[in-house]
Amino acid sequence: MSALKGRITDGLYGLGWGAVKKLPEPAATALFRTIADRTWKRRGKSVLRLESNLARVLPEAGPERLAELSKAGMRSYMRYWMESFRLPTWTPERIRASIDVKDVYHLTEGLDAGKGVVIALPHLGNWDLAGAWVTTELKVPFTTVAERLEPATLYDRFVAYREGLGMEVLPHSGGAAFGTLARRLRAGGLVCLVADRDLSSSGVEVSFFGATARMPAGPALLAQQTGALLLPVTLWYDGTPVMRARVHPAIEVPEEGTRVERTAAMTQALADAFAGGIAEHPEDWHMLQRLWLDDLEPRGERA
């Protein structure tokens, strides 16, 4: 990213967090729906990639259905940003009223047992709102990681935003994050990770909607090394102001096999849980990047 483009991007995000939260909510909702529809109508690279990914999820869908889904998907994605820009101003009561969590006992019982819990989510719905609910309603702090962004000021904005919601944020790169996450879990803490797309070349290959994708090994490895529960969570919108969430049963550590084999089995189980949530609510899956291995260009030329 050029220095000029970086400054512009950073400035736009700063404008979002500074100005959008001051708009009346109906005006903010209308603005971001307009942005979504105009972005969709331009048929740029992100929209086309979203449609390509959705075609994997729903192989029987024709062009008209995929276009409908991608339009709804862009509206869902812009709702995520609209909510995120406004979240720092929401009261605890507003946060609690904006999400309905099913089967939360999987999480609370794990925390009460002092085992530590790893929550793993796909890019569904608004994971920041879910995190704010955890720190507000359950009053449980947690640790997560964030990809290093350029320019550094933009990364700092995201860290400050998430720390303001009660999260401890570690940089994804640098190698120290895994050890810190393990220590938090051994102390009975909570770790939350968005885990449906590997950011390195060292992830685990999984079967995902009938083709091979790569997902991070971290959630499964952390559960194995610390004894923490590994809980998949899926999120979705249902046309109301309230986001829905489901905490799925824990993914068990296999009793047999090497560490590599156990990690592969657990990551596949995680992928299967993600796939179920995505198949039920494909328009809320905000995957605007390449994911499947046969969609990736040779290393060094990836989009």
Side-chain angles (χ1 to χ4, degrees):
M1 180 183 292
S2 69
L4 176 59
K5 186 176 180 180
R7 287 196 297 271
I8 292 172
T9 301
D10 180 49
L12 289 173
Y13 278 101
L15 180 64
W17 271 301
V20 174
K21 64 186 179 183
K22 298 178 181 178
L23 291 174
E25 187 151 341
T29 300
L31 172 62
F32 277 77
R33 175 162 288 203
T34 298
I35 293 171
D37 290 350
R38 289 181 178 177
T39 302
W40 176 82
K41 192 172 182 179
R42 286 199 297 269
R43 310 288 294 163
K45 182 188 296 186
S46 295
V47 172
L48 295 178
R49 175 51 50 192
L50 176 61
E51 278 189 16
S52 177
N53 290 340
L54 290 170
R56 299 271 195 176
V57 176
L58 297 170
E60 74 285 357
E64 289 187 3
R65 175 60 176 153
L66 288 175
E68 291 174 357
L69 279 173
S70 67
K71 185 174 185 178
M74 292 308 298
R75 288 182 172 183
S76 175
Y77 185 50
M78 286 299 118
R79 174 174 169 175
Y80 162 81
W81 282 112
M82 187 269 290
E83 289 178 344
S84 295
F85 288 140
R86 297 173 68 84
L87 256 177
T89 67
W90 284 11
T91 64
E93 292 75 21
R94 173 66 190 275
I95 291 171
R96 286 193 287 266
S98 296
I99 180 169
D100 174 46
V101 183
K102 302 180 184 301
D103 300 329
V104 71
Y105 68 89
H106 292 301
L107 170 58
T108 55
E109 289 180 0
L111 291 171
D112 290 344
K115 298 183 66 172
V117 175
V118 180
I119 285 179
L121 311 92
H123 285 80
L124 271 172
N126 189 335
W127 45 96
D128 287 326
L129 173 56
W133 180 85
V134 168
T135 60
T136 300
E137 174 66 13
L138 301 184
K139 295 181 172 53
V140 175
F142 66 87
T143 306
T144 188
V145 298
E147 182 183 3
R148 283 282 190 190
L149 301 173
E150 294 296 336
T153 51
L154 180 58
Y155 171 77
D156 292 341
R157 285 189 192 276
F158 274 95
V159 170
Y161 158 63
R162 290 182 171 130
E163 287 180 342
L165 299 176
M167 311 176 195
E168 178 188 23
V169 183
L170 307 176
H172 183 273
S173 59
F178 188 91
T180 302
L181 295 175
R183 287 193 294 274
R184 299 292 183 269
L185 292 168
R186 290 191 181 102
L190 177 63
V191 165
C192 299
L193 302 169
V194 180
D196 58 343
R197 180 171 180 260
D198 184 49
L199 296 175
S200 70
S201 60
S202 59
V204 177
E205 291 188 3
V206 296
S207 176
F208 197 55
F209 292 104
T212 303
R214 189 180 290 121
M215 295 187 181
L221 286 172
L222 285 166
Q224 290 178 67
Q225 292 192 18
T226 68
L229 294 180
L230 175 54
L231 301 179
V233 171
T234 52
L235 312 169
W236 68 96
Y237 296 122
D238 65 356
T240 73
V242 179
M243 184 177 73
R244 311 295 170 177
R246 175 174 288 112
V247 182
H248 297 258
I251 292 175
E252 301 292 339
V253 178
E255 295 182 0
E256 299 181 351
T258 66
R259 186 176 71 168
V260 170
E261 291 169 340
R262 292 195 301 268
T263 300
M266 294 175 71
T267 306
Q268 182 63 62
L270 199 60
D272 292 342
F274 291 169
I278 292 166
E280 290 179 358
H281 308 282
E283 67 278 8
D284 292 321
W285 189 38
H286 306 150
M287 184 55 66
L288 279 67
Q289 301 84 21
R290 299 174 190 269
L291 178 67
W292 283 272
L293 297 192
D294 55 10
D295 285 339
L296 293 172
E297 297 173 0
R299 192 173 181 181
E301 301 177 10
R302 295 179 183 177

